[in-house]
Amino acid sequence: MGSIASQPRNRAVRTAVHRHEHLSKEGLLERAFTFAFRGLVYAQIWEDPEVDMEALAITPDCHLVTIASGGCNVLSYLTADPAKITAVDLNTAHIALNKLKVAAAQHLPDHAAFHRFFGQANRAENIAAYRETLAPHLDETTRRYWEGRDLAGRRRIKGFAGGFYKRGLLGGFIGAAHLLAKLYRIDPRELLAAKTPEEQREIFERRLAPVFDKKFVRWLIEQPASLFGLGIPPAQYEALAADDPRGIKAVLLRRLEKLACDFDLSDNYFAWQAFGRGYGEGADAPLPPYLRAANHEVVRERASRVEVRHQNFVEYLESMPEGSLDRYILLDAQDWMTDAQLNRLWGEITRTAKPEARVLFRTAAAPTLLPGRVADAILDRWDYAEAESLDFTARDRSAIYGGVHLYRLKP
């Protein structure tokens, strides 16, 4: 995993996360997170792409720049018909996953094969499809990743035969949460049997919410390392815990309640991933836009518009001409950043932004984190869509973020 080519990227991840001395408590936590982050983190991205596309108001001439993560949103954005999408990431596993998804969209024979690979992600036929159809279209680095072995000695591509969404840091975290629940004789899948939103709430309040009152669970969630599986570094944990005066328990309970209760199960594939560890099997099961049969042909036709780059977001911006980009999707990466990093990033966003440019990002805590941290001379160029951001936050089905924030370049 630690090839010479990847070492500069590993240093970039360390730079993004490390803020404290090595031997301090905070420094040790940061370095533990960096180690955990070296492998696959998100088998599925946890930002709602339909909220994103509404907020971004994508037009056919748009060039989007986004953090790649698990790649679901990158391909889903194609349904909005942008001219180009540049997906950047420092995580080698995410880069390999994005390249695999782009190749699969282009070369698997039909929607059934594509859905089997990424919608079911637990069929032996997927391994044959990889070897016969996908591998010849992948670059050597990507093939080496998928045909290599993980820390458990398993070939990574075999994940698509045994339940890919159980893999990665997030998949392991969800699996551990299911195991913990079962220790208290609770099966999170019970929620998926609900037929109405009222039943969802009743099951949540009767079965799931009381777990947060267990002594061991209260202790566990107060440890910053316990949320590494959500891809949350120590600095972001602090922001998350500060989002409610009652502390981290209240924050996590409310966000789980939103995931379990605020959206109908027939429309929320994030809930199926959290409580069922995969997408639903039925014909009407909710799916990300890129996996829906109705979108398959446009995703296939437009997949060539996606450029995947193993690169830091701001370094990519620094390589681009002034006034050359239209939309920026930062996910929750700014929660990790120092003020100097924020100012460097927003300086480059502002320099490269075309007229009517938009920036979308999420935060662990509810408020936007930019005022008072990004220089006024930069931030004054942008309009914060506060009312719309509150609405997007309420409708984000992934439910784990405190805020979804939209900024628009002023005329």
Side-chain angles (χ1 to χ4, degrees):
M1 292 175 68
S3 68
I4 292 174
S6 71
Q7 287 176 4
R9 311 305 177 190
N10 292 335
R11 285 198 295 271
V13 174
R14 293 196 295 270
T15 300
V17 176
H18 295 179
R19 300 184 180 187
H20 298 88
E21 295 298 323
H22 285 70
L23 297 181
S24 67
K25 177 182 177 181
E26 295 84 357
L28 291 171
L29 282 170
E30 288 168 347
R31 284 152 183 83
F33 176 84
T34 302
F35 179 80
F37 198 78
R38 291 174 65 184
L40 178 69
V41 181
Y42 300 113
Q44 177 202 273
I45 189 172
W46 275 70
E47 282 87 5
D48 191 329
E50 288 170 299
V51 164
D52 285 11
M53 288 188 282
E54 183 178 342
L56 292 166
I58 297 167
T59 58
D61 60 343
C62 278
H63 182 176
L64 282 65
V65 186
T66 182
I67 296 174
S69 189
C72 317
N73 287 14
V74 172
L75 267 66
S76 291
Y77 297 152
L78 291 172
T79 65
D81 198 23
K84 182 176 182 179
I85 300 174
T86 299
V88 302
D89 210 294
L90 295 174
N91 185 297
T92 55
H94 291 167
I95 292 297
L97 180 55
N98 275 256
K99 289 186 175 182
L100 182 67
K101 286 185 173 179
V102 170
Q106 292 174 308
H107 300 293
L108 286 178
D110 51 33
H111 176 259
F114 189 64
H115 179 266
R116 185 177 63 230
F117 210 107
F118 296 105
Q120 295 171 305
N122 60 1
R123 302 278 295 277
E125 299 98 310
N126 291 334
I127 310 308
Y130 169 81
R131 290 173 178 159
E132 296 167 10
T133 305
L134 299 183
H137 297 284
L138 299 175
D139 61 82
E140 181 182 353
T141 300
T142 304
R143 288 198 307 273
R144 191 165 60 243
Y145 175 83
W146 288 113
E147 294 166 20
R149 298 182 185 273
D150 62 18
L151 292 176
R154 304 168 298 188
R155 292 201 183 277
R156 296 187 184 95
I157 193 61
K158 292 291 184 69
F160 290 97
F164 183 65
Y165 296 109
K166 297 178 182 179
R167 299 285 181 96
L169 205 57
L170 178 60
F173 175 88
I174 293 173
H178 277 240
L179 179 60
L180 182 62
K182 288 179 180 178
L183 292 176
Y184 296 107
R185 299 182 180 179
I186 296 166
D187 185 350
R189 290 178 175 85
E190 294 175 30
L191 185 87
L192 300 177
K195 303 300 183 186
T196 66
E198 292 75 20
E199 287 185 26
Q200 291 171 223
R201 182 164 296 279
E202 190 276 330
I203 293 171
F204 171 80
E205 293 178 351
R206 176 172 54 86
R207 299 290 285 158
L208 300 180
V211 174
F212 284 77
D213 292 323
K214 305 296 184 181
K215 184 176 180 180
F216 175 68
V217 174
R218 292 201 312 270
W219 174 85
L220 185 65
I221 62 178
E222 289 174 358
Q223 313 309 311
S226 69
L227 298 188
F228 282 5
L230 290 175
I232 293 178
Q236 195 175 26
Y237 177 93
E238 294 168 8
L240 188 68
D243 205 37
D244 190 302
R246 296 169 295 175
I248 189 68
K249 172 191 165 183
V251 174
L252 295 179
L253 182 59
R254 170 54 197 141
R255 298 195 186 174
L256 185 64
E257 178 187 13
K258 181 180 179 182
L259 181 64
C261 304
D262 286 14
F263 308 97
D264 194 300
L265 289 172
S266 66
D267 188 47
N268 191 7
Y269 61 85
F270 296 100
W272 283 87
Q273 285 283 352
F275 300 112
R277 305 193 69 191
Y279 298 122
E281 292 289 339
D284 296 328
L287 292 167
Y290 85 99
L291 277 176
R292 296 173 193 162
N295 293 330
H296 183 68
E297 286 306 314
V298 296
V299 171
R300 177 199 291 273
E301 291 168 5
R302 299 168 185 170
S304 61
R305 303 180 191 179
V306 175
E307 173 191 31
V308 181
R309 299 176 67 101
H310 196 178
Q311 189 173 16
N312 182 291
F313 198 105
V314 73
E315 290 175 355
Y316 172 73
L317 299 187
E318 288 170 343
S319 74
M320 295 298 290
E322 183 175 341
S324 58
L325 302 170
D326 301 278
R327 303 290 187 267
Y328 307 78
I329 303 101
L330 301 170
L331 307 185
D332 61 342
Q334 292 176 118
D335 278 358
W336 305 18
M337 295 183 185
T338 64
D339 290 3
Q341 290 167 334
L342 285 171
N343 277 278
R344 179 186 175 195
L345 172 65
W346 277 87
E348 286 305 309
I349 288 173
T350 304
R351 183 187 67 82
T352 57
K354 288 182 182 178
E356 302 183 359
R358 296 184 176 214
V359 182
L360 188 71
F361 62 90
R362 286 164 172 80
T363 51
T368 173
L369 49 70
L370 301 183
R373 299 187 62 189
V374 173
D376 290 345
I378 297 173
L379 204 54
D380 286 348
R381 298 282 309 279
W382 295 87
D383 173 57
Y384 177 46
E386 184 172 7
E388 293 167 75
S389 296
L390 289 170
D391 179 56
F392 296 140
T393 301
R395 293 192 286 116
D396 188 336
R397 294 167 298 173
S398 73
I400 64 173
Y401 297 100
V404 178
H405 306 285
L406 172 65
Y407 280 76
R408 291 181 290 234
L409 187 66
K410 293 178 180 177

